[in-house]
Amino acid sequence: MGIGATAGAAAVGGLALSANASDASGTPSDALVFDKDAYTELTTTVTDAAGNDKEVVYHFWKALTYVADPVDAKYQSLNVSVPVRIDGVAVNAKDAPVLLANSVGGYLPSSVADATGVGGGGTAGLPAGGASASPGATASSGGGTGEVQSGGNAMLNGRGETVDLAKPALAAGYVVVEPGARGRTLTDADGTYYGTAPAAIVDLKAAVRYVRANKGVIPGDTDRIVSTGTSAGGALSALLGASGDSRAYDSRLDELGAADASDAVFAVGAWCPITDLEHADGAYEWNWGGNVTQSTGEVVDQKVSKELRAQFAEYQASLKLRGLKGFGPLTARNYDEYLVKTYLQPSATAYLAGLSDVDRAAYLADNTFITWSGGRATFSWADFLTHVGARKKSAPAFDAFDLSSGENNEFGKDKTQARHFTAYGMKHDTTGVSGSRPDVDIPGKLDLMNPMHHLEKANPGRSRHWWIRLGTKDSDTSLTVSANLAAALDGLGDDVDHLYYWDEGHGSNTDPGDFIAWIARVTRHGKRAGK
């Protein structure tokens, strides 16, 4: 039995835990049955996208363990919030979309156990460096020691204000599910890591299965689950959408006693996804390699940068992707042109068009690299890189030679805190690790953690609706990562809404109201209910 579980049954989150996820008929066991009456009624005030305050009365279910045999119930539990009155008007959320808002940051642990209401988001790691915070930024349970950083579901809008999608979703009449998940720094009393890859995605799949197994009992349309997340949480949201119902996770889900139900989600919202990790170093150098200085003032090793850029060119060619809007094949040679024409110039144009004449003139005077003509912004890729300035990360950005990155920790195993996950990182190791290639289990775990792997195979259980966002000044990752994700999805015929926020950094969300409206549109909420 895992941490937080005892032999037989244990009471966690108001549920009796048993050893089995379902009975012979496939019906959820008592451990995984949603108790519709075990809620607390709460009231919150939400400011919508138009700046109007709405009073929302909702029912709140706290810390429901979503697997029958948890490794650590503190993290493997979820909260449910269901609106019942909005501004005094009764709401029937029976057919409402379900927003599944994960609060993972930095691939660190996320727990909802201490949340006091919707949007509490629990505790999560969202360090300033994205997923690449040091392995020492720890969270613990079961005898370990460390720090849990506050993250929640929050992002930042263009005014530096916090955006939490859970509350506006609730105010729109949607059901909100906030799952916790294990993360890379969790250790038991013996020092064994139990939250490294692929624990987080397995947990989120188990949470989806719990919701779907309780169809007709848990409020909301469990066939219309919309997953959201930011940074590493954005990567996991994309992975959840890409890998729906993949059998590759079944044995791990069975070990947890996950419900016998689908783990496919209907739609995905992914903000600045830190993903495609085995190719992220090359992508980062292709994008930001021209900016030789980090924000710390350190000059990046140019030999390493050049070698990694060559890796990206080879990888990009192997994908055989075509750009959106008829651009044609995407290669390392034309990707700069693609980003400028398809994303960056339209992003700058939208930003400038939204300013007053006075503010636009002032911005253009400060940023003379932009040509503003006919209501359209144009500039070169080189000038854009100069505009962004110093890069956030060193080289390699993800598989650090000294095993110091959060991603190295994400691929730790047993009592080994951090491991290399690329042959290049292994070759240049500075810690004394022997061998020429990563450990034999690494390739399989990379497949389980990379949405591109599932999209290359055109997984039939994937989501068909995608909302993907990234800030143009986000040098926590490469701009090509989300663009490749969007191109792969578009090539499969999926509905893709992908854009970049001009002059915004990591964790930005400047159009939350549009996203809430997008959910209603793609799920046909209201129309399906005959409204």
Side-chain angles (χ1 to χ4, degrees), residues 125-426:
L126 187 56
S132 288
S134 164
T138 62
S140 66
S141 180
T145 59
E147 175 188 1
V148 177
Q149 301 187 33
S150 177
N153 306 316
M155 294 169 266
L156 295 176
N157 64 17
R159 300 180 297 279
E161 300 165 341
T162 298
V163 175
D164 187 334
L165 292 172
K167 287 187 175 181
L170 194 72
Y174 306 161
V175 173
V176 176
V177 175
E178 297 170 279
R182 289 169 293 163
R184 60 181 171 84
T185 53
L186 293 173
T187 58
D188 64 17
D190 294 326
T192 299
Y193 286 85
Y194 62 89
T196 54
I201 184 60
V202 172
D203 285 354
L204 292 180
K205 282 178 170 289
V208 173
R209 288 187 175 200
Y210 173 90
V211 173
R212 299 197 70 163
N214 283 283
K215 181 176 182 177
V217 181
I218 194 169
D221 184 345
T222 58
D223 293 326
R224 294 292 187 272
I225 297 174
V226 181
S227 171
T228 66
T230 305
S231 190
L236 290 168
S237 184
L239 178 57
L240 193 62
S243 66
D245 290 337
S246 168
R247 302 303 298 271
Y249 303 85
D250 282 357
S251 62
R252 291 173 170 84
L253 288 161
D254 289 345
E255 288 174 1
L256 296 174
D260 184 11
S262 170
D263 54 58
V265 296
F266 183 79
V268 168
W271 285 261
C272 47
I274 303 289
T275 192
D276 200 0
L277 297 178
E278 61 266 47
H279 306 109
D281 288 326
Y284 194 91
E285 293 312 311
W286 178 91
N287 193 150
W288 306 114
N291 296 3
V292 300
T293 305
Q294 282 183 255
S295 54
T296 60
E298 177 186 351
V299 176
V300 174
D301 187 321
Q302 291 304 288
K303 181 176 182 293
V304 170
S305 181
K306 181 179 179 180
E307 290 174 348
L308 289 171
R309 287 198 297 273
Q311 287 186 17
F312 172 77
E314 183 177 350
Y315 171 60
Q316 190 63 42
S318 74
L319 290 175
K320 296 181 173 59
L321 295 176
R322 301 183 70 85
L324 277 64
K325 302 178 182 178
F327 181 83
L330 286 176
T331 70
R333 288 181 177 275
N334 67 13
Y335 220 128
D336 53 352
E337 177 189 357
Y338 176 64
L339 288 173
V340 168
K341 290 184 176 180
T342 307
Y343 294 112
L344 299 180
Q345 288 181 166
S347 175
T349 296
Y351 174 80
L352 288 165
L355 298 178
S356 67
D357 291 344
V358 172
D359 289 343
R360 186 184 311 114
Y363 185 90
L364 292 169
D366 289 337
N367 296 276
T368 56
F369 74 96
I370 297 176
T371 298
W372 180 255
S373 178
R376 182 170 177 267
T378 57
F379 47 83
S380 71
W381 172 252
D383 284 340
F384 166 73
L385 291 179
T386 300
H387 173 64
V388 173
R391 52 191 275 168
K392 177 70 70 65
K393 298 178 179 180
S394 185
F398 297 92
D399 189 359
F401 296 157
D402 62 358
L403 294 172
S404 62
S405 80
E407 288 78 13
N408 292 130
N409 182 203
E410 172 66 359
F411 289 98
K413 181 183 179 183
D414 298 329
K415 294 185 180 181
T416 300
Q417 182 186 51
R419 294 188 296 168
H420 291 295
F421 52 92
T422 68
Y424 189 81
M426 193 76 177

Side-chain angles (χ1 to χ4, degrees), residues 1-134:
M1 300 291 280
I3 297 166
T6 60
V12 179
L15 296 177
L17 299 185
S18 68
N20 299 306
S22 60
D23 60 26
S25 68
T27 303
S29 69
D30 289 344
L32 300 180
V33 172
F34 180 79
D35 184 349
K36 62 184 178 62
D37 298 318
Y39 62 81
T40 301
E41 187 168 290
L42 301 174
T43 302
T44 188
T45 300
V46 179
T47 303
D48 64 19
N52 302 314
D53 288 341
K54 292 186 176 182
E55 183 184 77
V56 182
V57 178
Y58 65 102
H59 293 167
F60 180 66
W61 287 259
K62 180 175 179 177
L64 308 179
T65 307
Y66 53 69
V67 289
D69 191 13
V71 176
D72 192 334
K74 177 179 178 181
Y75 298 97
Q76 294 171 304
S77 61
L78 55 80
N79 293 344
V80 178
S81 300
V82 179
V84 293
R85 289 191 301 279
I86 300 175
D87 285 342
V89 178
V91 174
N92 183 352
K94 180 176 73 71
D95 296 315
V98 177
L99 183 80
L100 185 87
N102 85 66
S103 57
V104 175
Y107 289 105
L108 291 167
S110 170
S111 171
V112 298
D114 297 326
T116 57
V118 68
T123 50
L126 187 56
S132 288
S134 164

